[in-house]
Amino acid sequence: NAGVTQTPKFQVLKTGQSMTLQCAQDMNHEYMSWYRQDPGMGLRLIHYSVGAGITDQGEVPNGYNVSRSTTEDFPLRLLSAAPSQTSVYFCASSYSNRPVRGNYGYTFGSGTRLTVV
Amino acid sequence: KNQVEQSPQSLIILEGKNCTLQCNYTVSPFSNLRWYKQDTGRGPVSLTIMTFSENTKSNGRYTATLDADTKQSSLHITASQLSDSASYICVVSPLNDYKLSFGAGTTVTVRA
């Protein structure tokens, strides 16, 4: 089925460990992004990409790295996990996020619940 | 300060009843306003997208309205069903920026 696939669904890390959250989409979407969702707060943008080879920082980028070597994949790397990174992470993609090209909906993955102890 | 404020934070309604959720925003200028439904443990799913020139948009029993002058939007759920139990998120897209502004959401619980 077409959509956004995130793995893993759950992960527990120890402080200082590193890991990569995977995100893949098969819709040939130009735009991909990573968000974190914390209780009582709206989703916050971590990093985003407007195409292969192009990435940029969002609202809360510290402690995270991304790369976009292909249109389909947009992994999120936690360099040295901290308890403050305990959250639910969502990857989202869209055909385009440029209003001049139209208003396209976002497709979200099902999320990765990360706990850092 | 969050540029998108939603109210109420949560509400409980009986099956078959209607309810209205509110969204106030300060994002300006904006390109479009979206409402998403997020079931527990799942990612958000788009319900409606409205541009600044649209006043209303429906998707089945969900009807969104937009007043760009007062910077307010509402989502009306008609004849609620148990499956409507979810969090509903208001999202505003700035005109010249990729970065969406998300509300914290309203949690709706429908009881039989």
Side-chain angles (χ1 to χ4, degrees):
Chain A
N1 293 333
V4 177
T5 302
Q6 287 186 239
T7 56
K9 292 188 182 301
F10 301 94
Q11 183 70 50
V12 178
L13 288 179
K14 293 182 179 179
T15 298
Q17 286 185 315
S18 62
M19 78 160 295
T20 299
L21 279 62
Q22 301 291 345
C23 175
Q25 53 91 8
D26 57 3
M27 299 169 284
N28 200 32
H29 280 176
E30 166 185 286
Y31 180 82
M32 296 186 74
S33 53
W34 277 101
Y35 292 88
R36 59 178 290 172
Q37 187 174 40
D38 301 296
M41 302 180 69
L43 276 78
R44 291 183 292 169
L45 181 64
I46 304 171
H47 286 285
Y48 66 95
S49 168
V50 300
I54 306 171
T55 64
D56 205 346
Q57 295 182 350
E59 183 183 355
V60 288
N62 293 339
Y64 308 95
N65 273 354
V66 292
S67 60
R68 184 100 179 265
S69 57
T70 67
T71 300
E72 295 78 18
D73 299 300
F74 190 46
L76 178 72
R77 298 183 185 83
L78 278 69
L79 309 174
S80 177
S84 61
Q85 294 179 303
T86 294
S87 186
V88 181
Y89 291 85
F90 288 100
C91 178
S93 73
S94 177
Y95 174 71
S96 173
N97 201 42
R98 284 178 279 173
V100 68
R101 295 184 63 182
N103 295 294
Y104 296 95
Y106 277 46
T107 300
F108 284 83
S110 57
T112 294
R113 184 173 294 275
L114 175 68
T115 302
V116 183
V117 298
Chain B
K1 185 180 185 304
N2 196 358
Q3 297 186 75
V4 180
E5 299 288 345
Q6 291 187 243
S7 62
Q9 187 174 35
S10 63
L11 66 92
I12 300 172
I13 59 174
L14 292 177
E15 188 177 14
K17 299 297 185 182
N18 305 334
C19 68
T20 300
L21 315 180
Q22 299 294 337
C23 173
N24 295 339
Y25 62 92
T26 59
V27 178
S28 181
F30 82 100
S31 171
N32 59 72
L33 186 146
R34 314 165 190 229
W35 282 94
Y36 282 83
K37 178 187 180 187
Q38 185 177 18
D39 293 315
T40 301
R42 306 300 297 269
V45 174
S46 180
L47 290 176
T48 63
I49 299 176
M50 292 183 291
T51 67
F52 64 88
S53 61
E54 296 179 291
N55 299 120
T56 186
K57 184 71 69 77
S58 291
N59 179 358
R61 294 179 296 100
Y62 300 101
T63 300
T65 64
L66 174 63
D67 185 335
D69 291 332
T70 62
K71 295 184 172 57
Q72 294 180 324
S73 177
S74 64
L75 180 69
H76 187 74
I77 304 175
T78 302
S80 61
Q81 301 177 358
L82 296 177
S83 59
D84 292 331
S85 294
S87 178
Y88 293 84
I89 303 172
C90 176
V91 185
V92 181
S93 177
L95 184 61
N96 296 310
D97 196 334
Y98 285 97
K99 302 170 186 176
L100 305 180
S101 292
F102 287 79
T106 293
T107 300
V108 174
T109 302
V110 181
R111 290 187 175 164

